[in-house]
Amino acid sequence: MLVESWYDFHMDQSNSTNPPRCGRHITTTAMASVQEQVLELERLQATWHEMEQRIRANLAKAAQLITLNVGGTLFTTSKETLVRIPGSYFHAMLGSGLWQPDGPHGSYFLDMDPLHFDRVMMYLRQGELSMDGLSDWDVRQLERTMAYLNLPIPSDATWTWNPKQCHESITLSETNRCAFAADKTTNGTYQSVLGSSPVTQFRVRINEMASDDLYIGLTPQKGVHVSAYNPTKGGVYMQADGHVYANGGKTVCFSRLRRGDMILMRRADGNISIELNGQELGVAGTVDPTVDLFPVLCTWARAKVSIVY
């Protein structure tokens, strides 16, 4: 009995310090799996590095000036402009080394509609996508072209007028990019519509206006009412007569707005600046830099305002 007890005690102690064989087998298998994954990762990294080198070499071989044959219309630009956005169609095709000139004048052929392709080129050059003057159908076609070329549409170009925060007398276009306010409401209230998402800047064009009681602004979403006079409730608004309202009070007076004018409002930290027809007017007011701001249109009379990207 004493010998058996000693043997049992010895085996217990041995098992407490040495894992069983099945445990050692599991540990060995796990280590082998980890090592295999590390080797696979190293192979992938080597392949990716080789691919990057090949892309750089192919891009270096491409001509400095490149002509695109877009549905029969020629567009010429620099290679630097064309491959500016990594992952785009142009960056991938030129980097692959498989895309070769196959059109007149050594051009690269693209089987797509050339209409509005100049806007794509302007986007590649300046980073801004203009949809000014386009119909709803044209906007959709341009968006499809951008998607095909794997070019990201700027974040501030995705907002629209929000039909859920829109006065009943304001009619929105099919894509919610144009707001049309009818004549004065029967009860004499203001008509407002809010943007669909917060932005750091936005640009709109005044297509029609029948009164100086037209306001374009950047405002917090909270407190805005579609049937109220909103410029005294916060945010920064520019009135058609040139006066600016910031946080409920008048601040400065800029140029009077006219039909056809294009207004850009830009937020930089806590400052809101205004640009009119490409000319900087200056800082219009200050806001809490931590609060999201939305585009807003507020009018008492007939007006038509369209978004410009």
Side-chain angles (χ1 to χ4, degrees), residues 1-77:
M1 291 292 294
L2 182 60
V3 173
E4 291 176 354
S5 298
W6 177 88
Y7 179 80
D8 292 338
F9 173 79
H10 176 74
M11 291 302 296
D12 289 341
Q13 293 299 309
S14 176
N15 289 337
S16 66
T17 57
N18 297 291
R21 290 184 178 180
C22 62
R24 289 198 297 271
H25 175 70
I26 293 173
T27 302
T28 302
T29 303
M31 288 296 295
S33 176
V34 170
Q35 290 175 351
E36 181 61 30
Q37 292 179 34
V38 170
L39 291 174
E40 179 63 20
L41 180 59
E42 290 176 348
R43 285 194 291 268
L44 290 174
Q45 288 177 332
T47 301
W48 178 250
H49 180 70
E50 180 183 348
M51 186 182 301
E52 282 186 320
Q53 295 294 101
R54 190 161 58 247
I55 289 174
R56 291 194 187 99
N58 289 330
L59 289 176
K61 292 177 184 177
Q64 293 302 313
L65 282 180
I66 293 178
T67 298
L68 302 176
N69 180 359
V70 184
T73 301
L74 301 182
F75 296 85
T76 300
T77 187

Coordinates of all heavy atoms in Angstrom, one line a residue, residues 1-77:
M1 N 0.8 -1.2 0.0 CA 0.0 0.0 0.0 C 0.9 1.2 0.0 O 0.6 2.2 -0.7 CB -0.9 0.0 1.2 CG -2.0 -1.1 1.2 SD -3.2 -0.7 -0.1 CE -3.9 0.8 0.6
L2 N 1.9 1.2 0.8 CA 2.8 2.4 0.9 C 3.5 2.6 -0.5 O 3.6 3.7 -1.0 CB 3.9 2.1 2.0 CG 4.9 3.3 2.2 CD1 4.1 4.5 2.6 CD2 5.9 2.9 3.2
V3 N 3.9 1.5 -1.1 CA 4.6 1.6 -2.4 C 3.6 2.2 -3.5 O 3.9 3.0 -4.3 CB 5.1 0.3 -2.9 CG1 5.6 0.3 -4.3 CG2 6.2 -0.2 -2.0
E4 N 2.3 1.7 -3.4 CA 1.3 2.1 -4.4 C 1.0 3.6 -4.2 O 0.8 4.3 -5.1 CB 0.1 1.3 -4.2 CG 0.2 -0.2 -4.7 CD -1.0 -1.0 -4.4 OE1 -1.9 -0.5 -3.8 OE2 -1.0 -2.1 -4.9
S5 N 0.9 4.0 -2.9 CA 0.6 5.4 -2.6 C 1.8 6.3 -3.1 O 1.6 7.4 -3.7 CB 0.4 5.6 -1.1 OG -0.7 4.9 -0.7
W6 N 3.0 5.9 -2.9 CA 4.2 6.6 -3.4 C 4.1 6.8 -4.9 O 4.4 7.8 -5.5 CB 5.5 6.0 -2.9 CG 6.7 6.7 -3.5 CD1 7.3 7.7 -2.9 CD2 7.4 6.4 -4.7 NE1 8.4 8.1 -3.7 CE2 8.4 7.3 -4.8 CE3 7.2 5.4 -5.7 CZ2 9.3 7.3 -5.9 CZ3 8.0 5.4 -6.7 CH2 9.1 6.4 -6.8
Y7 N 3.8 5.7 -5.6 CA 3.7 5.6 -7.0 C 2.7 6.6 -7.6 O 2.9 7.4 -8.5 CB 3.4 4.2 -7.5 CG 3.3 4.1 -9.0 CD1 4.5 4.0 -9.8 CD2 2.1 4.1 -9.7 CE1 4.4 4.0 -11.2 CE2 2.0 4.0 -11.0 CZ 3.2 3.9 -11.8 OH 3.1 3.9 -13.1
D8 N 1.5 6.6 -6.9 CA 0.4 7.5 -7.3 C 0.8 8.9 -7.1 O 0.6 9.8 -8.0 CB -0.9 7.2 -6.5 CG -1.5 5.9 -6.9 OD1 -1.2 5.3 -8.0 OD2 -2.2 5.3 -6.1
F9 N 1.5 9.3 -6.0 CA 1.9 10.6 -5.7 C 2.9 11.1 -6.7 O 2.9 12.2 -7.2 CB 2.5 10.7 -4.3 CG 3.1 12.0 -4.0 CD1 2.3 13.1 -3.6 CD2 4.5 12.2 -4.0 CE1 2.9 14.3 -3.4 CE2 5.1 13.4 -3.8 CZ 4.3 14.5 -3.4
H10 N 3.9 10.2 -7.0 CA 4.9 10.5 -8.0 C 4.3 10.8 -9.4 O 4.7 11.7 -10.1 CB 5.9 9.3 -8.1 CG 7.0 9.5 -9.1 ND1 8.0 10.4 -9.0 CD2 7.1 9.0 -10.4 CE1 8.8 10.4 -10.0 NE2 8.3 9.5 -10.9
M11 N 3.4 10.0 -9.8 CA 2.7 10.2 -11.1 C 2.0 11.5 -11.1 O 2.0 12.3 -12.2 CB 1.8 9.1 -11.4 CG 2.5 7.7 -11.7 SD 3.7 7.9 -13.1 CE 2.6 8.2 -14.4
D12 N 1.3 11.9 -10.0 CA 0.6 13.2 -10.0 C 1.5 14.3 -10.1 O 1.3 15.3 -10.9 CB -0.2 13.3 -8.7 CG -1.4 12.3 -8.6 OD1 -1.8 11.9 -9.7 OD2 -1.9 12.1 -7.5
Q13 N 2.7 14.3 -9.4 CA 3.6 15.4 -9.5 C 4.2 15.4 -10.9 O 4.5 16.5 -11.4 CB 4.8 15.1 -8.5 CG 4.3 15.3 -7.0 CD 3.7 16.7 -6.8 OE1 4.4 17.6 -7.1 NE2 2.5 16.7 -6.2
S14 N 4.5 14.3 -11.5 CA 5.1 14.2 -12.8 C 4.1 14.9 -13.8 O 4.5 15.6 -14.7 CB 5.4 12.8 -13.2 OG 5.8 12.7 -14.5
N15 N 2.8 14.5 -13.7 CA 1.8 15.1 -14.7 C 1.6 16.6 -14.5 O 1.2 17.3 -15.4 CB 0.5 14.3 -14.5 CG 0.6 12.9 -15.0 OD1 1.4 12.6 -15.8 ND2 -0.3 12.1 -14.5
S16 N 1.9 17.1 -13.2 CA 1.6 18.5 -13.0 C 2.7 19.4 -13.6 O 2.5 20.5 -13.8 CB 1.6 18.8 -11.5 OG 2.8 18.5 -10.9
T17 N 3.9 18.8 -13.9 CA 5.0 19.6 -14.4 C 5.3 19.3 -15.9 O 5.9 20.0 -16.5 CB 6.3 19.3 -13.6 OG1 6.6 17.9 -13.6 CG2 6.1 19.8 -12.2
N18 N 4.8 18.2 -16.4 CA 5.0 17.8 -17.8 C 3.7 17.6 -18.4 O 2.9 16.7 -18.0 CB 5.8 16.5 -17.8 CG 7.2 16.7 -17.2 OD1 8.0 17.4 -17.8 ND2 7.4 16.0 -16.1
P19 N 3.4 18.3 -19.5 CA 2.1 18.1 -20.2 C 2.0 16.8 -20.8 O 3.0 16.1 -21.1 CB 2.2 19.2 -21.2 CG 3.6 19.5 -21.5 CD 4.3 19.3 -20.2
P20 N 0.8 16.3 -20.8 CA 0.6 14.9 -21.5 C 1.0 15.0 -22.9 O 1.1 16.0 -23.5 CB -0.9 14.7 -21.3 CG -1.5 16.1 -21.1 CD -0.5 16.9 -20.4
R21 N 1.2 13.8 -23.5 CA 1.7 13.7 -24.8 C 0.7 14.4 -25.8 O 1.1 15.0 -26.8 CB 1.8 12.2 -25.2 CG 3.0 11.6 -24.5 CD 3.2 10.2 -25.0 NE 4.4 9.5 -24.3 CZ 4.8 8.3 -24.6 NH1 4.1 7.5 -25.4 NH2 5.8 7.8 -24.0
C22 N -0.6 14.2 -25.6 CA -1.6 14.8 -26.5 C -1.5 16.3 -26.5 O -1.6 17.0 -27.5 CB -3.0 14.4 -26.1 SG -3.5 14.9 -24.5
G23 N -1.1 16.9 -25.3 CA -1.0 18.4 -25.2 C 0.3 18.8 -26.0 O 0.3 19.8 -26.6
R24 N 1.4 18.0 -25.8 CA 2.6 18.3 -26.6 C 2.3 18.3 -28.1 O 2.8 19.1 -28.9 CB 3.7 17.4 -26.2 CG 4.3 17.7 -24.8 CD 5.6 17.0 -24.6 NE 5.6 15.6 -24.8 CZ 5.3 14.8 -23.7 NH1 5.2 15.2 -22.5 NH2 5.3 13.5 -23.9
H25 N 1.5 17.3 -28.5 CA 1.1 17.2 -29.9 C 0.4 18.4 -30.4 O 0.6 18.9 -31.5 CB 0.3 15.9 -30.1 CG -0.1 15.7 -31.5 ND1 0.7 15.4 -32.6 CD2 -1.4 15.8 -32.1 CE1 0.0 15.3 -33.7 NE2 -1.3 15.6 -33.4
I26 N -0.6 18.8 -29.6 CA -1.4 20.0 -30.0 C -0.5 21.2 -30.1 O -0.6 22.0 -31.1 CB -2.5 20.2 -29.0 CG1 -3.5 19.1 -29.1 CG2 -3.2 21.6 -29.3 CD1 -4.6 19.2 -28.0
T27 N 0.4 21.4 -29.2 CA 1.3 22.6 -29.2 C 2.2 22.5 -30.4 O 2.4 23.6 -31.1 CB 2.2 22.6 -27.9 OG1 1.3 22.6 -26.8 CG2 3.1 23.8 -27.9
T28 N 2.7 21.4 -30.8 CA 3.6 21.3 -31.9 C 2.8 21.6 -33.2 O 3.3 22.2 -34.1 CB 4.2 19.8 -32.0 OG1 4.9 19.6 -30.8 CG2 5.1 19.7 -33.2
T29 N 1.6 21.1 -33.3 CA 0.7 21.3 -34.5 C 0.4 22.8 -34.6 O 0.5 23.3 -35.7 CB -0.6 20.5 -34.4 OG1 -0.3 19.1 -34.2 CG2 -1.4 20.7 -35.6
A30 N 0.1 23.5 -33.5 CA -0.2 24.9 -33.5 C 1.0 25.7 -34.0 O 0.9 26.6 -34.8 CB -0.7 25.4 -32.2
M31 N 2.2 25.3 -33.5 CA 3.4 26.0 -33.9 C 3.7 25.9 -35.4 O 4.1 26.8 -36.1 CB 4.6 25.5 -33.1 CG 4.6 26.0 -31.6 SD 4.8 27.8 -31.5 CE 6.4 28.0 -32.1
A32 N 3.5 24.7 -35.9 CA 3.7 24.4 -37.3 C 2.7 25.2 -38.1 O 3.1 25.8 -39.2 CB 3.5 22.9 -37.6
S33 N 1.5 25.4 -37.7 CA 0.5 26.2 -38.4 C 0.9 27.6 -38.4 O 0.7 28.3 -39.4 CB -0.9 26.0 -37.7 OG -1.9 26.8 -38.3
V34 N 1.3 28.2 -37.3 CA 1.8 29.6 -37.2 C 2.9 29.8 -38.1 O 3.0 30.8 -38.9 CB 2.1 29.9 -35.7 CG1 2.8 31.3 -35.7 CG2 0.9 29.9 -34.9
Q35 N 3.9 28.9 -38.1 CA 5.1 29.0 -39.0 C 4.7 29.0 -40.5 O 5.2 29.8 -41.3 CB 6.1 27.9 -38.7 CG 6.8 28.0 -37.4 CD 7.6 26.8 -37.1 OE1 7.6 25.8 -37.8 NE2 8.4 26.9 -36.0
E36 N 3.7 28.2 -40.8 CA 3.2 28.1 -42.2 C 2.5 29.4 -42.6 O 2.7 29.9 -43.7 CB 2.2 27.0 -42.4 CG 1.7 26.8 -43.8 CD 2.8 26.5 -44.8 OE1 3.8 25.9 -44.4 OE2 2.6 27.0 -46.0
Q37 N 1.8 30.0 -41.6 CA 1.1 31.3 -41.9 C 2.1 32.4 -42.1 O 2.0 33.3 -42.9 CB 0.1 31.6 -40.8 CG -1.1 30.7 -40.7 CD -2.0 31.0 -39.6 OE1 -2.2 32.2 -39.2 NE2 -2.6 30.0 -39.0
V38 N 3.2 32.4 -41.3 CA 4.2 33.4 -41.4 C 4.9 33.3 -42.7 O 5.2 34.3 -43.4 CB 5.3 33.2 -40.3 CG1 6.5 34.1 -40.5 CG2 4.6 33.6 -38.9
L39 N 5.2 32.1 -43.2 CA 5.9 31.8 -44.5 C 4.9 32.3 -45.6 O 5.4 32.9 -46.6 CB 6.2 30.4 -44.7 CG 7.3 29.8 -43.8 CD1 7.5 28.3 -44.0 CD2 8.6 30.5 -44.1
E40 N 3.6 32.1 -45.5 CA 2.7 32.5 -46.5 C 2.6 34.0 -46.6 O 2.6 34.6 -47.7 CB 1.3 31.9 -46.2 CG 0.2 32.3 -47.2 CD 0.5 31.8 -48.6 OE1 1.3 30.9 -48.8 OE2 -0.1 32.4 -49.6
L41 N 2.6 34.7 -45.4 CA 2.6 36.1 -45.3 C 3.9 36.7 -46.0 O 3.8 37.7 -46.7 CB 2.5 36.6 -43.9 CG 2.5 38.1 -43.7 CD1 1.3 38.7 -44.4 CD2 2.4 38.4 -42.2
E42 N 5.0 36.1 -45.7 CA 6.3 36.5 -46.3 C 6.2 36.4 -47.8 O 6.7 37.2 -48.6 CB 7.4 35.7 -45.7 CG 7.7 36.1 -44.3 CD 8.8 35.2 -43.7 OE1 9.2 34.2 -44.3 OE2 9.3 35.6 -42.6
R43 N 5.6 35.3 -48.3 CA 5.5 35.1 -49.8 C 4.6 36.1 -50.4 O 4.9 36.7 -51.5 CB 5.0 33.7 -50.1 CG 6.0 32.5 -49.9 CD 5.5 31.2 -50.5 NE 4.3 30.7 -49.8 CZ 4.4 29.8 -48.8 NH1 5.6 29.4 -48.4 NH2 3.3 29.4 -48.2
L44 N 3.5 36.4 -49.7 CA 2.6 37.5 -50.2 C 3.3 38.8 -50.2 O 3.1 39.6 -51.2 CB 1.3 37.5 -49.4 CG 0.4 36.3 -49.5 CD1 -0.8 36.4 -48.5 CD2 -0.2 36.2 -50.9
Q45 N 4.0 39.1 -49.2 CA 4.7 40.4 -49.1 C 5.7 40.5 -50.3 O 5.9 41.6 -50.9 CB 5.4 40.6 -47.8 CG 4.4 40.9 -46.6 CD 5.1 40.9 -45.3 OE1 6.2 40.3 -45.1 NE2 4.5 41.7 -44.4
A46 N 6.4 39.4 -50.5 CA 7.4 39.4 -51.6 C 6.7 39.6 -53.0 O 7.2 40.4 -53.8 CB 8.2 38.1 -51.6
T47 N 5.6 38.9 -53.1 CA 4.8 39.1 -54.4 C 4.3 40.5 -54.6 O 4.4 41.1 -55.7 CB 3.6 38.1 -54.4 OG1 4.1 36.8 -54.3 CG2 2.8 38.3 -55.7
W48 N 3.8 41.1 -53.5 CA 3.3 42.5 -53.5 C 4.5 43.5 -53.8 O 4.3 44.4 -54.6 CB 2.6 42.8 -52.2 CG 2.1 44.2 -52.2 CD1 2.6 45.3 -51.4 CD2 1.1 44.8 -52.9 NE1 1.9 46.4 -51.6 CE2 1.0 46.2 -52.6 CE3 0.2 44.3 -53.9 CZ2 0.0 47.0 -53.2 CZ3 -0.8 45.1 -54.4 CH2 -0.8 46.4 -54.1
H49 N 5.6 43.2 -53.2 CA 6.8 44.1 -53.4 C 7.2 44.0 -54.9 O 7.5 45.0 -55.6 CB 7.9 43.7 -52.5 CG 9.2 44.5 -52.7 ND1 9.2 45.9 -52.4 CD2 10.4 44.2 -53.3 CE1 10.4 46.3 -52.7 NE2 11.1 45.4 -53.2
E50 N 7.2 42.8 -55.4 CA 7.5 42.6 -56.8 C 6.5 43.3 -57.8 O 6.9 43.9 -58.8 CB 7.6 41.1 -57.2 CG 8.0 40.8 -58.6 CD 7.9 39.3 -58.9 OE1 7.8 38.5 -57.9 OE2 8.0 39.0 -60.1
M51 N 5.2 43.2 -57.4 CA 4.2 43.9 -58.2 C 4.4 45.4 -58.1 O 4.2 46.1 -59.2 CB 2.8 43.5 -57.7 CG 1.7 44.0 -58.5 SD 0.1 43.5 -57.8 CE 0.2 41.7 -57.8
E52 N 4.7 45.9 -57.0 CA 4.9 47.4 -56.8 C 6.0 47.8 -57.7 O 6.0 48.9 -58.4 CB 5.1 47.8 -55.4 CG 3.9 47.8 -54.5 CD 4.2 48.3 -53.1 OE1 5.3 47.9 -52.6 OE2 3.4 49.1 -52.6
Q53 N 7.1 47.1 -57.7 CA 8.3 47.4 -58.5 C 7.9 47.4 -60.0 O 8.3 48.3 -60.8 CB 9.4 46.4 -58.3 CG 10.0 46.5 -56.8 CD 10.7 47.8 -56.6 OE1 10.2 48.7 -56.0 NE2 11.9 47.9 -57.1
R54 N 7.1 46.4 -60.4 CA 6.7 46.3 -61.8 C 5.8 47.5 -62.2 O 5.9 48.0 -63.3 CB 6.0 45.0 -62.0 CG 5.7 44.7 -63.5 CD 5.5 43.2 -63.7 NE 4.3 42.7 -63.0 CZ 4.4 41.9 -62.0 NH1 5.6 41.4 -61.6 NH2 3.3 41.5 -61.3
I55 N 4.9 47.9 -61.3 CA 4.0 49.0 -61.6 C 4.8 50.3 -61.7 O 4.6 51.1 -62.7 CB 3.0 49.2 -60.4 CG1 1.9 48.0 -60.5 CG2 2.2 50.5 -60.5 CD1 1.0 48.0 -59.3
R56 N 5.8 50.5 -60.8 CA 6.6 51.7 -60.9 C 7.4 51.7 -62.2 O 7.5 52.8 -62.9 CB 7.6 51.7 -59.7 CG 6.9 52.0 -58.4 CD 8.0 52.4 -57.3 NE 7.4 52.4 -56.0 CZ 7.4 51.5 -55.1 NH1 8.1 50.3 -55.4 NH2 6.9 51.6 -53.9
A57 N 7.9 50.5 -62.6 CA 8.7 50.5 -63.8 C 7.8 50.8 -65.1 O 8.2 51.5 -66.0 CB 9.3 49.1 -64.0
N58 N 6.6 50.2 -65.1 CA 5.7 50.4 -66.2 C 5.2 51.9 -66.3 O 5.1 52.5 -67.3 CB 4.5 49.5 -66.1 CG 4.8 48.1 -66.3 OD1 5.7 47.8 -67.1 ND2 4.1 47.1 -65.7
L59 N 5.0 52.5 -65.1 CA 4.6 53.9 -65.1 C 5.7 54.8 -65.6 O 5.5 55.8 -66.2 CB 4.1 54.3 -63.7 CG 2.8 53.7 -63.2 CD1 2.6 54.1 -61.7 CD2 1.7 54.2 -64.1
A60 N 6.9 54.4 -65.2 CA 8.1 55.2 -65.6 C 8.3 55.1 -67.1 O 8.7 56.1 -67.8 CB 9.4 54.7 -64.9
K61 N 7.9 54.0 -67.7 CA 8.1 53.9 -69.2 C 7.0 54.6 -70.0 O 7.2 55.0 -71.1 CB 7.9 52.4 -69.6 CG 9.1 51.5 -69.1 CD 8.8 50.1 -69.4 CE 9.9 49.1 -68.9 NZ 9.6 47.7 -69.2
A62 N 5.9 54.9 -69.4 CA 4.8 55.6 -70.1 C 5.2 57.0 -70.4 O 6.0 57.6 -69.7 CB 3.5 55.6 -69.2
A63 N 4.7 57.5 -71.5 CA 5.1 58.9 -72.0 C 4.6 59.9 -71.0 O 3.6 59.7 -70.2 CB 4.4 59.1 -73.3
Q64 N 5.3 61.0 -70.9 CA 4.9 62.1 -70.0 C 3.6 62.8 -70.4 O 2.9 63.2 -69.5 CB 6.1 63.1 -70.0 CG 7.3 62.6 -69.3 CD 7.2 62.1 -67.9 OE1 6.5 62.8 -67.1 NE2 7.7 60.9 -67.7
L65 N 3.3 62.8 -71.7 CA 2.0 63.4 -72.1 C 1.2 62.2 -72.7 O 1.7 61.4 -73.5 CB 2.2 64.4 -73.2 CG 2.6 65.8 -72.7 CD1 2.8 66.8 -73.9 CD2 1.6 66.4 -71.7
I66 N 0.0 62.1 -72.3 CA -0.9 61.0 -72.7 C -2.1 61.5 -73.3 O -2.8 62.4 -72.7 CB -1.2 60.1 -71.5 CG1 0.1 59.4 -71.0 CG2 -2.2 59.0 -71.8 CD1 -0.1 58.5 -69.8
T67 N -2.5 60.9 -74.4 CA -3.8 61.3 -75.1 C -4.8 60.2 -75.0 O -4.5 59.0 -75.3 CB -3.5 61.6 -76.6 OG1 -2.6 62.7 -76.7 CG2 -4.8 62.0 -77.3
L68 N -5.9 60.5 -74.5 CA -7.0 59.6 -74.3 C -8.0 59.8 -75.5 O -8.4 61.0 -75.8 CB -7.8 59.8 -73.0 CG -6.9 59.6 -71.7 CD1 -7.8 59.9 -70.5 CD2 -6.3 58.2 -71.6
N69 N -8.4 58.7 -76.1 CA -9.5 58.8 -77.2 C -10.8 58.3 -76.5 O -11.0 57.1 -76.4 CB -9.1 57.9 -78.3 CG -10.1 57.9 -79.4 OD1 -11.1 58.5 -79.3 ND2 -9.8 57.2 -80.5
V70 N -11.6 59.2 -76.1 CA -12.8 58.9 -75.3 C -14.0 58.9 -76.3 O -14.5 60.0 -76.6 CB -13.0 59.8 -74.1 CG1 -14.3 59.4 -73.4 CG2 -11.8 59.9 -73.2
G71 N -14.4 57.8 -76.8 CA -15.5 57.7 -77.7 C -15.3 58.6 -79.0 O -16.3 59.1 -79.5
G72 N -14.0 58.8 -79.4 CA -13.7 59.6 -80.6 C -13.3 61.0 -80.3 O -12.8 61.7 -81.2
T73 N -13.4 61.4 -79.1 CA -12.9 62.8 -78.7 C -11.6 62.6 -77.9 O -11.5 61.8 -77.0 CB -13.9 63.5 -77.8 OG1 -15.2 63.6 -78.5 CG2 -13.5 64.9 -77.4
L74 N -10.6 63.4 -78.3 CA -9.3 63.3 -77.7 C -9.1 64.3 -76.6 O -9.5 65.5 -76.6 CB -8.2 63.7 -78.8 CG -8.2 62.8 -80.0 CD1 -7.1 63.2 -81.0 CD2 -8.1 61.3 -79.7
F75 N -8.5 63.8 -75.5 CA -8.1 64.6 -74.3 C -6.7 64.3 -74.0 O -6.3 63.1 -73.9 CB -9.0 64.1 -73.1 CG -10.5 64.4 -73.2 CD1 -11.3 63.5 -73.9 CD2 -11.0 65.6 -72.7 CE1 -12.6 63.7 -74.0 CE2 -12.4 65.8 -72.9 CZ -13.2 64.9 -73.5
T76 N -5.9 65.3 -73.9 CA -4.5 65.2 -73.6 C -4.1 65.8 -72.3 O -4.6 66.9 -71.9 CB -3.6 65.9 -74.7 OG1 -3.9 65.3 -76.0 CG2 -2.1 65.7 -74.4
T77 N -3.4 65.0 -71.5 CA -3.0 65.5 -70.1 C -1.6 64.9 -69.8 O -1.1 64.0 -70.5 CB -4.0 65.1 -69.1 OG1 -3.7 65.7 -67.8 CG2 -4.1 63.5 -68.9

